[in-house]
Amino acid sequence: MRLVDGRVVFAASDLNDYLACPHRVALNRRALMRGDAPPEDDATLAIVARKGREHELRVLERMESDGVAVVHVPEGDNTARDLLHAVATTRRAMQSGAEAIYQASFLDGAWTGRADFLIRTGEPSALGAWSYDVADTKLAIREKPQFLVQLCTYALLVASVQGELPRSVRALFGNGVETAYDPRRYVAYVRAAQRRLA
């Protein structure tokens, strides 16, 4: 959850927080509106985040060593200005038909997201003779419902640019297993949860 041009925008993590505990989201929103500093991260969570980032970078290195041309979207300093720049960079990369996009960023209405990877497919869309699937790295070695909520949130954001849902969303697990899901099976639930959160 963050402020962009004076309005609150939500991310998939906020939706997962809401589904777990609506009160947590209310507290986070109140803290955001007051300008309170976010709570300190737990040391264990910091280790998990670092390991997750290392897994993500290994996937990126493997893609590039396999000859995939990957457009890197700059991450910036987590400011609203940096987000808007990353969103514009992502749109340009999608419109140009980039083979893959790393750290693809989106902002659509009250929702934002940053997918680890977009992978170009041969399915036509509003972009042209191609469209994009979502692939997100997960340090975990088994599926969790929260992953599908996140992946489908990204799928809806991708659809806001290419005019249709991705053909698949994929979780790239820490043990090397890749699992694909059809977002059409799950987005109705995610949309309903987004409406409830709003």
Side-chain angles (χ1 to χ4, degrees):
M1 180 180 321
R2 62 193 298 172
L3 285 174
V4 176
D5 295 333
R7 63 190 169 94
V8 175
V9 295
F10 300 101
S13 57
D14 299 310
L15 187 56
N16 275 319
D17 283 349
Y18 172 78
L19 292 169
C21 177
H23 186 61
R24 180 189 310 169
V25 174
L27 292 175
N28 290 345
R29 187 177 190 285
R30 185 169 68 185
L32 177 70
M33 299 310 286
R34 288 181 176 174
D36 294 345
E40 292 294 319
D41 283 338
D42 177 285
T44 304
L45 292 177
I47 292 169
V48 171
R50 188 183 83 241
K51 294 289 188 185
R53 179 69 170 182
E54 290 169 1
H55 169 49
E56 178 185 306
L57 292 173
R58 282 192 302 273
V59 171
L60 174 62
E61 288 169 10
R62 189 168 53 247
M63 287 176 75
E64 291 182 326
S65 69
D66 288 344
V68 177
V70 182
V71 172
H72 293 240
V73 176
E75 296 185 46
D77 295 325
N78 204 30
T79 63
R81 182 174 160 214
D82 287 340
L83 170 64
L84 296 174
H85 176 68
V87 168
T89 301
T90 299
R91 277 185 179 269
R92 283 193 303 272
M94 292 176 74
Q95 290 165 345
S96 73
E99 190 174 0
I101 304 167
Y102 174 61
Q103 291 297 303
S105 298
F106 300 92
L107 179 63
D108 183 42
W111 291 94
T112 187
R114 191 169 190 100
D116 290 339
F117 299 97
L118 296 185
I119 310 297
R120 188 184 67 208
T121 72
E123 295 292 315
S125 71
L127 298 170
W130 64 90
S131 61
Y132 289 91
D133 285 350
V134 176
D136 217 58
T137 57
K138 300 296 173 198
L139 188 57
I141 58 172
R142 62 181 55 94
E143 300 166 297
K144 296 180 183 179
Q146 297 91 332
F147 297 165
L148 273 173
V149 170
Q150 181 183 25
L151 288 166
C152 287
T153 299
Y154 293 161
L156 289 167
L157 290 166
V158 169
S160 73
V161 177
Q162 68 183 22
E164 59 186 73
L165 284 171
R167 178 181 57 178
S168 75
V169 293
R170 291 177 253 166
L172 311 175
F173 291 104
N175 60 357
V177 172
E178 180 179 317
T179 304
Y181 309 91
D182 182 348
R184 293 170 297 182
R185 296 185 62 195
Y186 309 100
V187 293
Y189 172 78
V190 171
R191 282 186 181 117
Q194 288 177 336
R195 286 192 298 272
R196 289 197 313 273
L197 170 58

